[in-house]
């Protein structure tokens, strides 16, 4: 079913009883051409583009929980391409451009909001670094604006310009940066991949990788053995664990990265703002919650939970 104003009206007239589920719930087949481990943004997008751009038809995404139960459904929703290094900037700009047509492509409202991202700076050295970064962005054809104190005061009058321990002296603005609803990214890619025939198999944890003569032939899962010709790993921090199942020792360390959100408040903050003198950034979600970004824990872990000590620390920084 294509989502549109007409489909909303048609379904409203029939008492909203005829909406179809966004994707099927297939049982795993015995064999796939491609299996992707991990139903997050990367796994689902990989399946979608393999099917759409490369015509691969027999694909499964295996997810140990539900789609979007990993990082993609619990992040601070920022989309941006305000990077400096030559490899980084074109990569992120490519994805910004994808974003700008993605909702139409997926026929899914991911609530992309190009509200602008502003990196504040608090001393001369930092200002020079942001000038450099802005210039590096321009070199890749990506617009960036350096704002002085007066321009910032006009744009963000509620910030503490005069009495803060680290006074704000300016900011770097990327107007096209902003936010997108994080779990809608998973749902949109999932639904679109399903339309291309990709089997999305939830509650299916990969517990082993079977190999013959060094070649992967399939995966052991909590729903039995599933054969495959190619295997892709998109299990985020758990990629090192899944890789170990095939004897791979990947150079990846996993840490918890914490963030949190308040209950809904009246609209107050229009942009994404990062504070340059500590680890703190803030935006306001479309539901009104203030979204705070924080730090990684200093020790390795595969956990997915935050804690009050970090909440306190971030509030102190902000
Ligand atoms: C607090 C926080 C804030 C962030 N903020 C931002 C931001 O503002 N902007 C931004 O661009 N990025 C942000 N990120 C990073 C971003 O969320 C991740 O880079 C992205 O979501 C990773 O997507 P993924 O598909 O690789 O991983 P995930 O979404 O984590 O998906 C991996 C999936 O693999 C599954 N899995 C793991 N092991 C197995 C197994 N054995 N079998 C089957 N399935 C398995 C997991 O259940 C999970 O669903 C943030 C991350 C965090 C944690």
């Amino acid at each position: 079913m294509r989502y549109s104003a007409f489909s909303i009206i048609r379904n409203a007239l029939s008492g909203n009883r005829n909406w179809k589920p966004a994707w099927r719930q297939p049982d795993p087949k015995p064999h796939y051409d491609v299996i992707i481990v991990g139903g997050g943004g990367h796994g689902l997008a990989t399946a979608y583009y393999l099917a759409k751009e490369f015509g691969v038809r027999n694909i499964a995404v295996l997810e140990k929980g539900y789609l979007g139960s990993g990082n993609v459904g619990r992040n601070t929703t920022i989309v941006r391409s305000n990077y400096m290094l030559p490899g980084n900037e074109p990569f992120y700009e490519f994805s910004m451009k994808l974003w700008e047509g993605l909702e139409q492509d997926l026929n899914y409202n991911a609530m992309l909001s190009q509200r602008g991202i502003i990196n504040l700076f608090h001393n001369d050295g930092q200002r020079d670094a942001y000038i450099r970064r802005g210039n590096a962005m321009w070199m890749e054809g990506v617009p960036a604006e350096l704002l002085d104190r007066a321009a910032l005061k006009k744009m963000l009058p509620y910030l503490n310009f005069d009495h803060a321990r680290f006074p704000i002296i300016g900011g770097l603005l990327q107007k096209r940066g902003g936010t997108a609803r994080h779990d809608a990214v998973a749902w949109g890619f999932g639904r679109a991949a399903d339309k291309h025939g990709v089997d999305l198999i939830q509650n299916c944890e990969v517990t082993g990788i079977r190999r013959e003569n060094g070649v992967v032939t399939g995966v052991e899962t909590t729903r039995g053995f599933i054969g495959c010709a190619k295997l892709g790993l998109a299990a985020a921090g758990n990629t090192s664990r899944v890789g170990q199942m095939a004897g791979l020792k990947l150079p990846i360390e996993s840490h918890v990265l914490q963030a949190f959100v308040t209950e809904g408040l009246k609209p107050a903050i229009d942009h994404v703002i990062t504070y340059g003198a500590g680890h703190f950034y803030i935006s306001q979600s479309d539901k009104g919650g203030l979204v705070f970004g924080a730090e990684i824990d200093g020790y390795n872990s595969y956990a997915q939970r935050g804690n009050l000590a970090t909440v306190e620390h971030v509030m102190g920084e902000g």
Side-chain angles (χ1 to χ4, degrees):
M1 177 189 291
R2 204 179 149 69
Y3 293 159
S4 66
F6 295 116
S7 68
I8 292 175
I9 295 167
R10 207 172 41 247
N11 279 287
L13 293 175
S14 58
N16 284 316
R17 281 187 295 272
N18 296 319
W19 288 106
K20 301 271 178 299
W23 50 80
R24 299 162 297 127
Q25 303 280 355
D27 287 326
K29 293 186 216 161
H31 190 274
Y32 289 92
D33 293 342
V34 178
I35 284 181
I36 294 162
V37 184
H42 289 131
L44 294 166
T46 304
Y48 171 67
Y49 290 115
L50 276 178
K52 181 186 165 231
E53 304 289 334
F54 299 96
V56 183
R57 284 288 158 257
N58 193 20
I59 306 175
V61 176
L62 308 184
E63 166 53 50
K64 73 175 173 185
Y66 55 90
L67 296 189
S69 54
N71 295 285
V72 74
R74 57 186 76 230
N75 60 49
T76 49
T77 76
I78 301 170
V79 293
R80 61 189 174 107
S81 60
N82 57 355
Y83 292 80
M84 195 178 86
L85 298 178
N88 255 3
E89 182 55 24
F91 178 79
Y92 283 98
E93 178 55 15
F94 183 81
S95 52
M96 269 309 299
K97 291 215 172 86
L98 276 183
W99 264 114
E100 286 166 344
L102 195 66
E103 292 167 299
Q104 286 70 26
D105 185 21
L106 300 179
N107 180 226
Y108 204 90
N109 180 7
M111 294 164 72
L112 175 69
S113 162
Q114 291 180 288
R115 58 185 68 180
I117 176 164
I118 301 169
N119 303 121
L120 301 178
F121 47 82
H122 309 269
N123 57 49
D124 291 351
Q126 233 175 14
R127 179 200 56 212
D128 291 352
Y130 275 123
I131 291 174
R132 198 169 162 220
R133 193 196 289 207
N135 285 335
M137 289 165 66
W138 276 109
M139 302 257 289
E140 297 292 343
V142 180
E145 264 175 62
L146 198 77
L147 302 172
D148 63 12
R149 211 171 132 89
L152 262 183
K153 265 192 170 167
K154 215 161 144 199
M155 195 181 262
L156 311 172
Y158 49 82
L159 293 185
N160 181 354
F161 284 88
D162 299 317
H163 304 294
R165 184 168 167 204
F166 299 100
I168 300 162
I169 60 172
L172 182 71
L173 166 67
Q174 183 185 23
K175 275 191 181 152
R176 287 165 57 239
T179 58
R181 176 157 180 186
H182 45 12
D183 32 24
V185 179
W187 299 335
F189 271 118
R191 176 170 168 274
D194 174 87
K195 292 269 165 307
H196 283 279
V198 173
D199 281 358
L200 306 175
I201 305 185
Q202 304 180 79
N203 299 311
C204 181
E205 180 169 357
V206 171
T207 53
I209 297 178
R210 206 183 277 182
R211 288 175 297 159
E212 278 165 30
N213 302 323
V215 176
V216 171
T217 55
V219 289
E220 313 285 351
T221 80
T222 45
R223 296 180 67 176
F225 174 78
I226 311 174
C228 66
K230 301 270 182 214
L231 181 67
L233 306 184
N238 283 295
T239 299
S240 49
R241 278 178 164 168
V242 183
Q244 259 171 18
M245 298 174 194
L248 297 174
K249 191 166 187 292
L250 299 171
I252 296 174
E253 273 192 1
S254 295
H255 294 253
V256 172
L257 171 62
Q258 297 201 35
F260 54 96
V261 61
T262 68
E263 62 189 38
L265 302 169
K266 284 187 181 170
I269 296 180
D270 296 333
H271 305 87
V272 179
I273 306 168
T274 75
Y275 170 59
H279 197 147
F280 174 85
Y281 57 92
I282 188 167
S283 66
Q284 189 164 19
S285 78
D286 291 331
K287 281 196 296 188
L290 297 179
V291 180
F292 299 91
E295 311 215 27
I296 60 167
D297 288 350
Y299 48 89
N300 299 132
S301 165
Y302 294 98
Q304 287 186 306
R305 280 182 176 269
N307 57 47
L308 287 174
T310 297
V311 173
E312 192 179 1
H313 171 74
V314 172
M315 295 317 293
E317 300 268 297

